[in-house]
Amino acid sequence: MASLISWTNLNKLESFKELKTLKEGISLKKALKGAGGAKRVAECNIAMGGALTYNYAAKQVDKKTIAVFKKIVKEQQLLEKFASLYNGEVVNTGEKRMVLHHLTRGQLGNKVTADGTDKREFYVAQQKAIAEFASEVHSGKLTNEKGEKYTTVCQIGIGGSDLGPRAMYLALENWAKANNTFKMEAHFISNVDPDDASSVLASIDISKTIFILVSKSGTTLETLTNESFVKDAIKKAGLTVGKHMIAVTSETSPLASNPDYMKAFFMDDYIGGRYSSTSAVGGAVLSLAFGADVFARFLKGAAEEDRLALEKDVTKNPSLMDALIGVYERNILGYPSTAILPYSQALSRFPAHLQQLDMESNGKSVNRFGKKVNYVTGPVIFGEPGTNGQHSFYQLLHQGTNVIPLQFIAFQKNQCGKDVTIQGSTSQKKLSANVVAQIVAFACGKDDENPNKFFEGERPSSLIYGKQLTPESLGALLAHYENKVMFQGFIWNVNSFDQEGVQLGKVLAKTVLSGNMDGALKAFSDLLIK
């Protein structure tokens, strides 16, 4: 298939040149007015996995725009490139690797073989091994030195080994407690700042804790520093390190056969950290915290969303539609950033995960062949849960000089099943009312003779909504954004699966620590390192 695919810069596409003629976008005030607005909201729904729905009624696109989107899909061979990826072609050209995170949750295409193994079987085997280990921990078959059950799990990792799994744990913590599947409390140590590890260790009973060290190579400086910090604390508590640590690493890593670890589970080079929540990186901590069945349900929701990403009709493919609208907003309408606004406290760290997913993937200024591109690529991603954000940065979103597209995420029910009625409505109803009000306020604005009270409107947003945040809906939500980022990378003709921009600072940090430096590097070092 690879020989039939043409990797082309966005500005070379005839369909993109046609899209540039639609540079004004439609008027949201007109589109959402009256009965026509109600009809548009109903017509702009796309079913997602996990019983979610993606709605783009408050985006500045119409049938004419979507007709050009369909031409881009065909001319840029987006679905063929996706097929190339899940069939095991080397689409990560920077590191000369396959990209296989979709295989952790299902087989979309052909059998993929690497390192002498069927990769789908490899990922399933790791899931089964983790499930068996978690069952032994939960049942009390596996205990600490005193024969006591473990009550806590603590993940040590950084970047994708922290952001995704942490966000997923927080997203399901209250749901698991409400549904009697909560097994172990989870904590995370990521920052090399010693205050991070100190704070976590002071808040837990180390004697009843299993620490998960996550490092593919077994050589990540920040993670190994925190490993030493934790091991020191275990020894000072009079405990045996090998009774309290497991590893998630590669089969060739020095951690794989280290006697300090009672168990090792494996990942490989074909899944980048920011795409690893559905691999052993997320599987170990989530299975220990909630049980392997909950992790399996999470994977099921992701698999459902992956299958929808195969859909040829863009109006039935939520991640593809989201990706195309994002490119239209970035490259035609000139919007520099996107705000992720989950109206669910459970998703408090989800925007932070999406910052890495999107900005580390598509924050590129050269194409797949190392040639400079002369168009903008990935936007700046930021966000906070509503309604907190409304009392923080929404002022700029409503009346600032930049138009910033918004992506709302909301649910009809909370996770805990607890609520209170105040002034005629429940807290959940008030939360939902705020979502609806903000979408329309951003889109339609408000006229006022007082300039300080005038809202221009025409600020676009999308909405992902469902009944409740569950393991299935969380998996689908995660896969939606992973696939959106992938499609946008294909459209921009960048490699979304390496992250060279992360490496330079690491190299210079080692130079600083070696003491062999001069110039500005030494001068700045003298300010901080005493």
Side-chain angles (χ1 to χ4, degrees), residues 81-101:
K81 287 170 182 173
F82 182 28
S84 178
L85 181 152
Y86 62 69
N87 282 319
E89 299 288 346
V90 178
V91 297
N92 179 353
T93 51
E95 296 171 320
K96 297 180 175 58
R97 294 173 182 167
M98 300 180 292
V99 176
L100 301 182
H101 55 275

Side-chain angles (χ1 to χ4, degrees), residues 39-265:
K39 182 181 178 183
R40 179 177 171 85
V41 172
E43 290 177 344
C44 291
N45 282 316
I46 306 179
M48 295 173 57
L52 296 174
T53 302
Y54 171 75
N55 185 284
Y56 60 96
K59 288 292 191 180
Q60 293 162 311
V61 299
D62 59 9
K63 291 180 179 179
K64 187 184 295 185
T65 325
I66 293 171
V68 182
F69 286 172
K70 292 179 179 180
K71 294 179 182 180
I72 292 176
V73 171
K74 186 175 182 180
E75 187 178 2
Q76 193 66 313
Q77 299 174 289
L78 299 183
L79 296 172
E80 290 86 351
K81 287 170 182 173
F82 182 28
S84 178
L85 181 152
Y86 62 69
N87 282 319
E89 299 288 346
V90 178
V91 297
N92 179 353
T93 51
E95 296 171 320
K96 297 180 175 58
R97 294 173 182 167
M98 300 180 292
V99 176
L100 301 182
H101 55 275
H102 297 91
L103 266 183
T104 61
R105 54 243 195 182
Q107 187 86 46
L108 291 176
N110 302 333
K111 177 180 176 180
V112 178
T113 302
D115 308 323
T117 63
D118 179 323
K119 296 310 295 182
R120 174 60 184 157
E121 290 183 1
F122 171 79
Y123 298 135
V124 170
Q126 295 310 305
Q127 291 163 12
K128 288 181 178 178
I130 289 169
E132 290 171 3
F133 177 77
S135 177
E136 290 182 355
V137 171
H138 298 154
S139 68
K141 183 178 180 181
L142 190 65
T143 61
N144 69 3
E145 297 93 331
K146 297 180 181 179
E148 300 168 324
K149 290 181 71 172
Y150 297 101
T151 60
T152 306
V153 57
C154 179
Q155 183 131 315
I156 307 168
I158 198 165
S161 301
D162 168 72
L163 286 165
R166 188 195 295 252
M168 301 309 122
Y169 169 77
L170 292 174
L172 293 178
E173 182 180 17
N174 282 333
W175 178 90
K177 289 176 179 177
N179 288 273
N180 298 315
T181 65
F182 188 80
K183 308 291 186 182
M184 301 172 73
E185 188 177 71
H187 294 264
F188 297 83
I189 297 173
S190 58
N191 201 325
V192 76
D193 182 343
D195 285 345
D196 187 16
S198 295
S199 175
V200 172
L201 292 173
S203 69
I204 61 177
D205 183 344
I206 297 175
S207 71
K208 296 181 180 179
T209 300
I210 293 175
F211 294 91
I212 308 172
L213 188 85
V214 183
S215 175
K216 187 183 297 182
S217 65
T219 61
T220 306
L221 179 63
E222 295 96 333
T223 301
L224 293 186
T225 301
N226 280 326
E227 175 200 33
S228 297
F229 203 105
V230 168
K231 282 184 175 180
D232 183 61
I234 293 172
K235 292 173 183 176
K236 285 180 177 177
L239 303 170
T240 305
V241 172
K243 275 282 189 178
H244 292 276
M245 298 196 78
I246 64 174
V248 176
T249 189
S250 67
E251 291 178 300
T252 58
S253 159
L255 300 177
S257 56
N258 189 318
D260 283 345
Y261 295 87
M262 59 176 146
K263 206 79 173 178
F265 304 105

Side-chain angles (χ1 to χ4, degrees), residues 302-334:
E304 288 177 3
E305 189 65 20
D306 288 341
R307 285 191 291 272
L308 285 172
L310 305 175
E311 173 60 53
K312 294 180 180 179
D313 183 350
V314 68
T315 63
K316 297 178 181 177
N317 187 326
S319 56
L320 184 55
M321 177 66 85
D322 200 1
L324 286 158
I325 292 174
V327 170
Y328 178 60
E329 291 174 334
R330 186 80 176 102
N331 296 91
I332 304 300
L333 302 182

